[in-house]
Amino acid sequence: MGDANRHVVAIFGGACAGSTAADILAARGIDVVVFEQNARPYGKIEDGLPRWHRDQRRMEYKRIDARLDRPGVHVVPRTRLGTDLQFDEVIGWGFSAVLLANGAWRDRPLDIPGADAWLGRGLVYQNPFIYWFNHAPEASYSGPRYTIPPGAICIGGGLASIDVIKVFQLEQYGRALAARGIAVTMHDLEHAGIAATCLAHGIDDPASLGVADGWLVYRRRVEDMPLATPPPNATADQVLKIEAVRRKMLTKAQEKFRFHVRPMALPVALLTEEDRVTGVRFVETEMRDGKAVPLDDRAFDLHSTLVVSAIGSLPEPLPGIVMKGTFYDYADWDTGAYAPVPGVFGVGNVVTGRGNIKASEQHAKGVAHWLAEHYLGVQPEQTPRSIDQMTAGAEAGAAVAAAQVASYVEARPPLTAAEAEALLVRVRTRQSQVGYGTYVDWMAQVTPADAD
Ligand SMILES: Cc1cc2nc3c(=O)[nH]c(=O)nc-3n(C[C@H](O)[C@H](O)[C@H](O)COP(=O)(O)OP(=O)(O)OC[C@H]3O[C@@H](n4cnc5c(N)ncnc54)[C@H](O)[C@@H]3O)c2cc1C
């Protein structure tokens, strides 16, 4: 193999999308180098999917491991595009193709003038907030820590915002129960819900615990919350059905986790005192032609020292990569082909265009509502709690992209044995710099003993 002409493809990001593409390309005899910024390659599954999805996380970890720990795949951890390696430099190395599978890790900025100056002083974005929730129990965690205050505020409306408001409630009620000498695990509280857990411990009314429940504030109607998606070209009837599903899902989640919802309100200013955020000023909205229009004379305030903004995740801008608006500059959303440089493709969450959504829709057809209910944990008690189809969209999208990349690559002459070897020498050098030997040894070395 070492002295044969062949293709070598680089992938940045080793999670659902990157590992799926690596597996498929390696199975076609292509050498694949997976550069991953973190020590562990699990991406959103480890850092974005709240840790109460324990079984799902473990299962996905195994699937990612199986795809990366195989002949033909060379993993290079702790190597970040834009920091340890530059895009233009990598392009110059002469890989047969380069795949960007680096996900969507930049929080959509909160549209309040000057808001970001208050980050870390009461304002937090959803991605670092869930990272804290997932990793804070590990002894080695050294990032910021949050104590959920009364009436914490989450701005959002999608699944990720429900994750955040659930964290508020689980943390607050867990603490209130502990103060009464009742120890419940976060997993039990999430699984059974707040009222049922209280009842099981002889508390008839959870309100008697005196928790000031958190607020979820959304700019449109509850029926517009992107918790479930209508099929493409939905009829008016189908849209109405989806709206009813969204309302039902939210009501169930509220019953189980007791949070407040304030629809049709737009944040316009942070309230601050001295060095801290103390709340948010909102204005009410009205819907006109499907748009939330602010009613400037209808302002109200919510007060809390924690505000989490969960209004969407976007690809991170990276030096050398041309953006078109908030996304990379794709020539074709279906293939993820990056316009400025031939042979570069986006795959997975990093492409949030039609290609990915289409694949995800095809895959998740008919199970979207079921899935979302499972994701939210509001499905009937007797049904199993698997949400494994959740990653199916990213995987299906990555599989389609990998097939396209393979066709692109295979239509070109392979690298000479010397060119391929020169690339792999760079790879081995970097692997030894970061201390990587084999996948199994590396994972054993970097997995915290107390990882959930
Ligand atoms: C709240 C929530 C909602 C979800 N909704 C959906 C949905 O609607 N549809 C769907 O298909 N799936 C959804 N999922 C499932 C799942 O998150 C994604 O489908 C899947 O994890 C995306 O995989 P990915 O590999 O594209 O991205 P990620 O899991 O984000 O992986 C990207 C990887 O790239 C690495 N990386 C990032 N930047 C760099 C860099 N500069 N250099 C090197 N490495 C880098 C990261 O460390 C990470 O390992 C959802 C998950 C959550 C938590």
Side-chain angles (χ1 to χ4, degrees), residues 232-245:
N233 310 316
T235 62
D237 221 34
Q238 284 172 314
V239 170
L240 278 178
K241 271 197 191 125
I242 288 289
E243 291 184 355
V245 166

Side-chain angles (χ1 to χ4, degrees), residues 60-218:
E60 291 298 330
Y61 290 173
K62 276 195 193 146
R63 299 177 65 207
I64 291 172
D65 289 342
R67 297 182 199 125
L68 294 180
D69 186 19
R70 58 159 295 160
V73 175
H74 313 266
V75 177
V76 188
R78 288 210 172 117
T79 303
R80 181 177 155 79
L81 184 65
T83 310
D84 303 299
L85 294 176
Q86 297 304 326
F87 181 69
D88 295 337
E89 173 191 359
V90 171
I91 295 302
W93 287 359
F95 283 103
S96 307
V98 173
L99 271 64
L100 302 169
N102 49 313
W105 286 94
R106 175 180 177 238
D107 284 276
R108 185 184 293 281
L110 187 59
D111 190 16
I112 296 179
D116 282 1
W118 295 92
L119 282 171
R121 293 188 289 165
L123 174 65
V124 187
Y125 278 115
Q126 177 258 336
N127 280 299
F129 183 75
I130 296 294
Y131 186 92
W132 155 77
F133 177 71
N134 279 4
H135 289 281
E138 295 163 11
S140 57
Y141 177 79
S142 61
R145 290 183 183 271
Y146 306 104
T147 303
I148 309 304
I153 301 161
C154 175
I155 298 167
L159 290 178
S161 70
I162 308 257
D163 287 344
V164 169
I165 194 91
K166 277 175 66 176
V167 170
F168 289 174
Q169 299 299 88
L170 296 172
E171 288 277 313
Q172 286 214 89
Y173 279 90
R175 220 168 50 216
L177 287 167
R180 290 206 176 187
I182 300 169
V184 295
T185 67
M186 180 278 293
H187 289 289
D188 291 343
L189 196 53
E190 195 279 332
H191 188 64
I194 290 165
T197 305
C198 286
L199 202 57
H201 290 89
I203 299 166
D204 293 340
D205 181 8
S208 67
L209 292 173
V211 167
D213 295 311
W215 285 91
L216 175 61
V217 186
Y218 180 52

Side-chain angles (χ1 to χ4, degrees), residues 11-19 35-50 53 56 60 64 76 78-85 100-105 126 130 158-161 163 229 316 318 328 347-351 356-357 360 371 375 387 389-395 398:
I11 302 182
F12 287 90
C16 283
S19 66
F35 296 98
E36 166 57 50
Q37 65 176 2
N38 289 331
R40 300 194 338 144
Y42 304 136
K44 274 269 142 129
I45 302 298
E46 177 172 12
D47 298 338
L49 187 66
H53 296 290
Q56 164 73 359
E60 291 298 330
I64 291 172
V76 188
R78 288 210 172 117
T79 303
R80 181 177 155 79
L81 184 65
T83 310
D84 303 299
L85 294 176
L100 302 169
N102 49 313
W105 286 94
Q126 177 258 336
I130 296 294
L159 290 178
S161 70
D163 287 344
T229 318
E316 278 182 309
L318 292 174
Y328 299 162
V347 30
N349 273 11
V350 77
V351 188
N356 198 26
I357 291 168
S360 148
L371 197 58
Y375 184 79
I387 55 157
Q389 295 264 353
M390 205 74 197
T391 51
E395 283 167 20

Side-chain angles (χ1 to χ4, degrees), residues 138-420:
E138 295 163 11
S140 57
Y141 177 79
S142 61
R145 290 183 183 271
Y146 306 104
T147 303
I148 309 304
I153 301 161
C154 175
I155 298 167
L159 290 178
S161 70
I162 308 257
D163 287 344
V164 169
I165 194 91
K166 277 175 66 176
V167 170
F168 289 174
Q169 299 299 88
L170 296 172
E171 288 277 313
Q172 286 214 89
Y173 279 90
R175 220 168 50 216
L177 287 167
R180 290 206 176 187
I182 300 169
V184 295
T185 67
M186 180 278 293
H187 289 289
D188 291 343
L189 196 53
E190 195 279 332
H191 188 64
I194 290 165
T197 305
C198 286
L199 202 57
H201 290 89
I203 299 166
D204 293 340
D205 181 8
S208 67
L209 292 173
V211 167
D213 295 311
W215 285 91
L216 175 61
V217 186
Y218 180 52
R219 64 198 163 124
R220 299 167 191 261
R221 304 171 309 158
V222 165
E223 291 79 0
D224 302 314
M225 285 184 160
L227 303 173
T229 318
N233 310 316
T235 62
D237 221 34
Q238 284 172 314
V239 170
L240 278 178
K241 271 197 191 125
I242 288 289
E243 291 184 355
V245 166
R246 289 168 172 164
R247 173 167 282 288
K248 192 181 90 185
M249 271 187 212
L250 188 73
T251 305
K252 281 187 180 179
Q254 275 187 280
E255 280 166 7
K256 198 166 169 187
F257 301 106
R258 298 180 56 83
F259 54 90
H260 302 292
V261 177
R262 182 68 161 89
M264 302 196 60
L266 200 65
V268 289
L270 291 176
L271 309 175
T272 59
E273 260 170 46
E274 295 173 4
D275 207 26
R276 291 284 312 174
V277 168
T278 56
V280 182
R281 174 150 304 154
F282 294 91
V283 291
E284 293 180 9
T285 64
E286 69 177 16
M287 296 300 289
R288 276 188 228 149
D289 299 328
K291 285 210 171 106
V293 179
L295 303 170
D296 293 333
D297 56 340
R298 306 271 293 267
F300 67 96
D301 296 343
L302 288 179
H303 297 277
S304 181
T305 50
L306 179 67
V307 178
V308 178
S309 175
I311 56 173
S313 293
L314 302 166
E316 278 182 309
L318 292 174
I321 298 189
V322 179
M323 308 288 289
K324 203 178 194 175
T326 44
F327 298 104
Y328 299 162
D329 182 6
Y330 297 113
D332 180 342
W333 286 92
D334 284 329
T335 61
Y338 173 69
V341 186
V344 177
F345 301 85
V347 30
N349 273 11
V350 77
V351 188
T352 45
R354 283 180 293 120
N356 198 26
I357 291 168
K358 199 156 71 187
S360 148
E361 276 164 0
Q362 278 164 3
H363 214 94
K365 219 181 207 167
V367 297
H369 312 156
W370 176 89
L371 197 58
E373 288 205 354
H374 276 62
Y375 184 79
L376 295 182
V378 295
Q379 73 287 4
E381 204 42 50
Q382 67 275 18
T383 54
R385 290 168 59 82
S386 163
I387 55 157
D388 54 327
Q389 295 264 353
M390 205 74 197
T391 51
E395 283 167 20
V400 171
Q404 279 157 349
V405 171
S407 314
Y408 167 87
V409 164
E410 284 159 5
R412 309 178 71 219
L415 306 184
T416 65
E419 286 167 337

